[in-house]
Amino acid sequence: MIVRYASGSFDEKFSMVYFKMKHENCWSRITEKYDISIHTLKLLPYKDKNAIYGIFEIRVNNKHNLKEFLRSLNKESTIKNVTSLNLSELKRSVYIMDLYENYDGMIQGKLNDYNSIFYFDIVKGGLEEKYAVLPSENVKELKNDLQSLGDLYEFRAKYLKNFYDILAPYFTFSPIEMQIIVEAYNHGYYDIPRKTGIRELADSFGLSKSTVQEYIRSAEAKALSSIKLFKLMDELKEG
């Protein structure tokens, strides 16, 4: 097979969409009843089995609300199985849950049908706010399909001018930057209080203190490039 280089860029091939809606199924209804916020961490769709495996982050104010939420969740017809609930290490009020839910009739299923390559959401107060990146040619059809699932209050789309904004490029890091930033993390440079300093890192690599500082700053700037993505999401939401 011969792969030919196509001139141009991804500037108009992919679009980011933002939408806010009240879905007729599970998540909108259940967050309307309880003071709880849900964020999707990972989804694995199995269309042929009419199932989606999801890992979710849940923030809830008290354990009573959590128990009532889980009781209601287990009664939902769209939920196949709640497999686990673990206390997150991030905060006491944040939990991690994984479950299987239906593919058909779910927003996540629609996004998968339209080849979404990025997904971010917050569900609370009976409303689902979602961002996705998908081929620009699929945006109009996605909007039409979402309207069939519930009340679509907002929908905006924008060409993704820099495709790299939604990815985590590996080769932007030089080998030495990657080595130093990982070593710094492993030895507690980013702990509070800090367990190691620039001098110790410089000694372990046989480099000067200023050189190690430069590598760390460069690697940190690249690692924080995801801020561009959140800036783009905020701009799209505000219109």
Side-chain angles (χ1 to χ4, degrees), residues 42-123:
K42 184 66 177 178
L43 293 174
L44 294 174
Y46 301 95
K47 186 174 183 178
D48 58 328
K49 298 179 180 179
N50 187 29
I52 299 174
Y53 172 73
I55 303 175
F56 302 91
E57 185 180 26
I58 302 169
R59 185 171 64 190
V60 60
N61 291 332
N62 58 70
K63 290 187 177 180
H64 174 73
N65 275 348
L66 179 63
K67 289 179 181 179
E68 291 299 315
F69 162 75
L70 290 174
R71 188 176 291 114
S72 295
L73 188 66
N74 279 305
K75 295 178 181 178
E76 289 288 337
S77 60
T78 58
I79 301 300
K80 294 178 178 289
N81 182 29
V82 178
T83 55
S84 68
L85 180 71
N86 299 308
L87 185 64
S88 169
E89 295 180 357
L90 299 177
K91 293 176 66 177
R92 288 185 179 180
S93 60
V94 178
Y95 297 81
I96 302 297
M97 176 182 67
D98 64 322
L99 55 77
Y100 285 90
E101 61 182 349
N102 288 349
Y103 185 101
D104 294 338
M106 302 299 283
I107 296 174
Q108 291 87 347
K110 293 296 183 185
L111 290 172
N112 186 66
D113 287 343
Y114 289 108
N115 302 315
S116 173
I117 60 171
F118 169 81
Y119 179 82
F120 182 91
D121 70 344
I122 291 290
V123 185

Side-chain angles (χ1 to χ4, degrees), residues 7-215:
S7 60
S9 67
F10 285 101
D11 282 3
E12 295 186 359
K13 290 184 179 180
F14 288 89
S15 291
M16 174 174 280
V17 299
Y18 163 78
F19 57 93
K20 180 190 291 187
M21 68 180 296
K22 186 173 184 178
H23 187 208
E24 294 176 355
N25 282 323
C26 175
W27 297 115
S28 292
R29 183 167 58 246
I30 205 166
T31 57
E32 193 171 28
K33 294 166 59 178
Y34 303 104
D35 184 14
I36 194 166
S37 300
I38 301 170
H39 168 62
T40 303
L41 295 174
K42 184 66 177 178
L43 293 174
L44 294 174
Y46 301 95
K47 186 174 183 178
D48 58 328
K49 298 179 180 179
N50 187 29
I52 299 174
Y53 172 73
I55 303 175
F56 302 91
E57 185 180 26
I58 302 169
R59 185 171 64 190
V60 60
N61 291 332
N62 58 70
K63 290 187 177 180
H64 174 73
N65 275 348
L66 179 63
K67 289 179 181 179
E68 291 299 315
F69 162 75
L70 290 174
R71 188 176 291 114
S72 295
L73 188 66
N74 279 305
K75 295 178 181 178
E76 289 288 337
S77 60
T78 58
I79 301 300
K80 294 178 178 289
N81 182 29
V82 178
T83 55
S84 68
L85 180 71
N86 299 308
L87 185 64
S88 169
E89 295 180 357
L90 299 177
K91 293 176 66 177
R92 288 185 179 180
S93 60
V94 178
Y95 297 81
I96 302 297
M97 176 182 67
D98 64 322
L99 55 77
Y100 285 90
E101 61 182 349
N102 288 349
Y103 185 101
D104 294 338
M106 302 299 283
I107 296 174
Q108 291 87 347
K110 293 296 183 185
L111 290 172
N112 186 66
D113 287 343
Y114 289 108
N115 302 315
S116 173
I117 60 171
F118 169 81
Y119 179 82
F120 182 91
D121 70 344
I122 291 290
V123 185
K124 61 181 179 180
L127 292 175
E128 305 193 30
E129 289 189 83
K130 299 180 184 284
Y131 300 83
V133 173
L134 61 151
S136 299
E137 62 186 9
N138 294 343
V139 169
K140 186 176 181 179
E141 290 182 65
L142 171 66
K143 181 180 180 180
N144 292 336
D145 262 4
L146 290 175
Q147 290 172 328
S148 70
L149 295 180
D151 298 322
L152 185 63
Y153 298 115
E154 296 182 48
F155 186 96
R156 286 189 282 277
K158 184 177 182 180
Y159 286 133
L160 196 62
K161 292 184 178 181
N162 188 349
F163 190 68
Y164 259 29
D165 284 342
I166 64 159
L167 304 175
Y170 174 78
F171 291 116
T172 58
F173 293 89
S174 69
I176 187 63
E177 285 175 346
M178 184 67 74
Q179 291 174 20
I180 288 176
I181 201 77
V182 170
E183 190 77 2
Y185 179 83
N186 288 339
H187 285 80
Y189 179 76
Y190 293 102
D191 289 357
I192 301 176
R194 185 168 285 174
K195 295 178 181 177
T196 192
I198 294 292
R199 172 59 62 192
E200 290 80 8
L201 291 170
D203 289 344
S204 68
F205 281 94
L207 299 171
S208 69
K209 183 178 176 181
S210 60
T211 299
V212 169
Q213 282 180 320
E214 184 177 343
Y215 280 132

